[in-house]
Amino acid sequence: MIAPVELSQAYRLLNHGPTVLVTAAHGGRRNVMAAAWSMPLDFAPPKVAVVLDKSTFTRGLVEASGAFALNLPCRAIADATLAVGNVSAKDPEHADKFSEFGLGAFAGSALDLPLVEGCVGWLECRLVPEPHNQQAYDLFIGEVVAAHADTRVFGRGRWHFERADDSLRTLHYVAGGRFLAIGEALDADVERASRAPRLA
Amino acid sequence: MIAPVELSQAYRLLNHGPTVLVTAAHGGRRNVMAAAWSMPLDFAPPKVAVVLDKSTFTRGLVEASGAFALNLPCRAIADATLAVGNVSAKDPEHADKFSEFGLGAFAGSALDLPLVEGCVGWLECRLVPEPHNQQAYDLFIGEVVAAHADTRVFGRGRWHFERADDSLRTLHYVAGGRFLAIGEALDADVERASRAPRLA
């Protein structure tokens, strides 16, 4: 089931550094691309940062519409995640990467955005225009205005991948078609660290 | 063994979204803090982005020295990673978090920076001053001028955690003291995605 995530906890979706699918739509066109370079930027109001290269078709849709979504893919759609990152919708052969690679889409709740079916988290973002960052660094900032997650792996503001099938684990891109899936949880202990031998 | 990483491949250290330890030094003081919010920003010259809150002591050292390092902690030092993120060196009781939490340091090769022993990757960065980003978003940009990695888990521009002990896996912060360790590798296949049923 897909459930809303409180805006105060939206950053938790990205906190562990997953690769994302960036989606946007404008003027009857929609697109999806993969991006390994994104991060939370603020808690309240929640903001995110993502790098969108000048060569991408998605970037134009974001600039024209003033909105983008970050969708968090999982192992089950690793092949499509790689595929949409390998080709550009600027090439007429790849004009609709959703249908080409078997990715379904559903409408955002707050913004006019296509969200990717089969992902485990979604952040709907309104672009915060920063022309210098966009031009000099390909860096785009968005304010998160709605967030959603798959309740099988996210609830009460926390990921709990251990409770669900491994196919729902987030993807973390390495290179050359290789991803790392997120792994097991561990609870760190400050008291244990405080008992470490003091160094000179 | 610690080996240099070619600058053209430095982004690969951060590509999978690990939590980092940020280190800096100035005027006889040094500090280390944890940050879940960082990402690569460019390939060549390699750049990174990291969020440094105004409340942190490290931020002042970065602004004064014009340099910072991103160190990639692993499971073996999860307790210390949490601990240095929980207290500030602005509090005189925590004036040297390295020694307090048993973290050794060694000198950077390119910049006057303390690098954290027991990490699995290190990026030495020269601050690219962007006063608006720093003030409005706590966003700091650095150019990577040297990078290093533990050869047990990184080589030929790739992570290969599967070849080494699990204690060397990178950490990805969730909340409340919980980390996720990076998990298993999977190779995605564009051809498989292209054979997916086309959607209307």
Side-chain angles (χ1 to χ4, degrees), chain A residues 15 37 79 130 137 192, chain B residues 15 37 79 130 137 184 192:
Chain A
N15 215 51
W37 299 359
D79 292 336
E130 284 284 358
Y137 302 113
R192 242 175 355 224
Chain B
N15 215 51
W37 298 0
D79 292 336
E130 285 283 1
Y137 302 113
E184 63 179 8
R192 237 168 8 216

Side-chain angles (χ1 to χ4, degrees), chain B residues 24-194:
Chain B
H26 184 72
R29 292 292 301 273
R30 63 179 185 173
N31 202 31
V32 52
M33 61 173 272
W37 298 0
S38 76
M39 66 178 182
L41 189 61
D42 207 350
F43 295 104
K47 292 195 193 75
V48 298
V50 62
V51 177
L52 302 176
D53 192 78
K54 292 179 184 69
S55 68
T56 65
F57 185 71
T58 300
R59 178 178 170 136
L61 297 177
V62 172
E63 290 171 328
S65 67
F68 62 87
L70 302 184
N71 309 258
L72 278 60
C74 59
R75 288 186 73 145
I77 59 169
D79 292 336
T81 299
L82 183 67
V84 301
N86 262 18
V87 297
S88 171
K90 286 189 176 176
D91 177 346
E93 274 189 47
H94 303 291
D96 188 345
K97 293 194 276 181
F98 286 93
S99 59
E100 180 178 0
F101 298 114
L103 291 172
F106 62 102
S109 67
L111 299 172
D112 184 21
L113 285 167
L115 305 184
V116 180
E117 284 180 7
C119 285
V120 293
W122 300 265
L123 299 148
E124 299 180 46
C125 306
R126 189 173 287 130
L127 179 65
V128 177
E130 285 283 1
H132 169 66
N133 283 334
Q134 294 166 208
Q135 199 55 39
Y137 302 113
D138 298 331
L139 177 66
F140 287 72
I141 294 174
E143 180 182 334
V144 183
V145 296
H148 322 275
D150 186 320
T151 56
R152 291 174 293 176
V153 286
F154 190 92
R156 301 186 177 209
R158 293 277 194 108
W159 289 109
H160 39 72
F161 295 106
E162 69 284 358
R163 295 188 203 161
D165 192 83
D166 279 347
S167 65
L168 296 178
R169 289 181 180 268
T170 51
L171 299 171
H172 302 251
Y173 196 55
V174 181
R178 173 158 289 191
F179 293 97
L180 298 167
I182 197 64
E184 63 179 8
L186 63 149
D187 289 307
D189 184 332
V190 170
E191 292 308 311
R192 237 168 8 216
S194 302

Side-chain angles (χ1 to χ4, degrees), chain A residues 51-157:
Chain A
V51 177
L52 302 176
D53 193 77
K54 292 178 185 70
S55 67
T56 66
F57 185 71
T58 299
R59 178 178 171 136
L61 297 177
V62 172
E63 289 170 328
S65 67
F68 62 86
L70 302 185
N71 310 257
L72 278 59
C74 59
R75 288 187 72 145
I77 58 169
D79 292 336
T81 299
L82 183 67
V84 301
N86 263 20
V87 297
S88 172
K90 286 191 175 174
D91 177 346
E93 273 190 47
H94 303 291
D96 188 344
K97 293 193 275 180
F98 286 93
S99 59
E100 180 177 1
F101 299 113
L103 291 172
F106 62 103
S109 67
L111 299 172
D112 185 20
L113 285 167
L115 305 184
V116 181
E117 284 180 7
C119 284
V120 292
W122 300 266
L123 299 148
E124 298 180 47
C125 305
R126 189 172 286 131
L127 179 65
V128 177
E130 284 284 358
H132 168 67
N133 283 334
Q134 294 166 208
Q135 200 54 39
Y137 302 113
D138 297 332
L139 177 66
F140 287 72
I141 294 173
E143 180 181 333
V144 183
V145 296
H148 322 276
D150 186 320
T151 56
R152 291 175 293 176
V153 285
F154 190 91
R156 302 187 176 207

